[in-house]
């Protein structure tokens, strides 16, 4: 009976340790405003943001803005990150996404190439308005 209890406790502790290690190395999810310079992110990262539109030249490339900026109604200076979506995955405007992938340097700048994309929820976002003229 005592051997069974010790074995059960050992298995539970081992499972807890494995879970903690996986969570530690799973990586942190960062928002669009936390990215800073794309060239400093050399490995795989996960970015969260709200889909604001897609490229007129390549519909698999979308622009995402920070989740907090999606709530801004007018006079907002929003930062957008271009994200190349995996084949067949296309969110709609207002979808909050989590995208895992890497930044890739192109002649025109950086694009975040997502290898995995998940829609978390949907936001009703206000269209971008021009600042008032003074």
């Amino acid at each position: 009976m005592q051997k069974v209890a010790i074995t059960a406790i050992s298995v539970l502790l081992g499972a807890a340790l494995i879970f903690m290690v996986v969570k530690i190395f799973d990586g942190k999810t960062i928002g669009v405003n936390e990215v800073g310079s794309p060239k400093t992110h050399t490995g795989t990262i996960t970015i969260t943001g709200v889909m604001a539109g897609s490229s007129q030249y390549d519909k698999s490339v979308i622009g995402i803005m920070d989740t907090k900026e999606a709530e801004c109604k007018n006079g907002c200076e929003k930062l957008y990150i271009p994200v190349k979506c995996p084949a067949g995955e296309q969110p709609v405007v207002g979808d909050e996404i989590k995208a895992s992938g890497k930044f890739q340097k192109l002649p025109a700048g950086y694009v975040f190439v997502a290898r995995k994309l998940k829609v978390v929820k949907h936001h009703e976002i206000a269209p971008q308005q021009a600042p008032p003229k003074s």
Side-chain angles (χ1 to χ4, degrees):
M1 181 68 174
Q2 199 173 17
K3 286 184 181 180
V4 173
I6 291 173
T7 302
I9 291 171
S10 297
V11 169
L12 287 173
L13 288 174
L17 181 62
I18 289 170
F19 178 76
M20 287 180 2
V21 168
V22 167
K23 279 303 199 185
I24 289 170
F25 290 108
D26 189 26
K28 178 185 169 194
T29 300
I30 60 175
V32 171
N33 285 344
E34 297 174 280
V35 170
S37 175
K39 63 183 169 186
T40 62
H41 300 283
T42 57
T44 299
I45 61 171
T46 301
I47 297 177
T48 186
V50 177
M51 197 272 216
S54 60
S55 168
Q56 61 185 4
Y57 304 107
D58 181 354
K59 294 298 177 192
S60 68
V61 177
I62 63 170
I64 63 171
M65 66 180 136
D66 198 77
T67 307
K68 292 175 185 158
E69 289 179 346
E71 299 167 1
C72 183
K73 300 295 183 213
N74 55 24
C76 312
E77 290 187 32
K78 297 181 180 181
L79 171 68
Y80 298 96
I81 292 181
V83 176
K84 173 89 170 156
C85 297
E89 296 186 42
Q90 184 72 27
V92 297
V93 173
D95 280 351
E96 181 178 338
I97 64 165
K98 272 188 170 181
S100 296
K102 295 181 176 184
F103 279 102
Q104 180 180 8
K105 175 81 168 122
L106 300 175
Y110 285 90
V111 66
F112 186 79
V113 180
R115 62 176 172 81
K116 187 168 65 170
L117 186 139
K118 178 181 177 185
V119 175
V120 179
K121 64 182 174 181
H122 184 78
H123 297 266
E124 292 301 324
I125 60 174
Q128 181 70 25
Q129 296 178 358
K133 294 180 180 181
S134 34

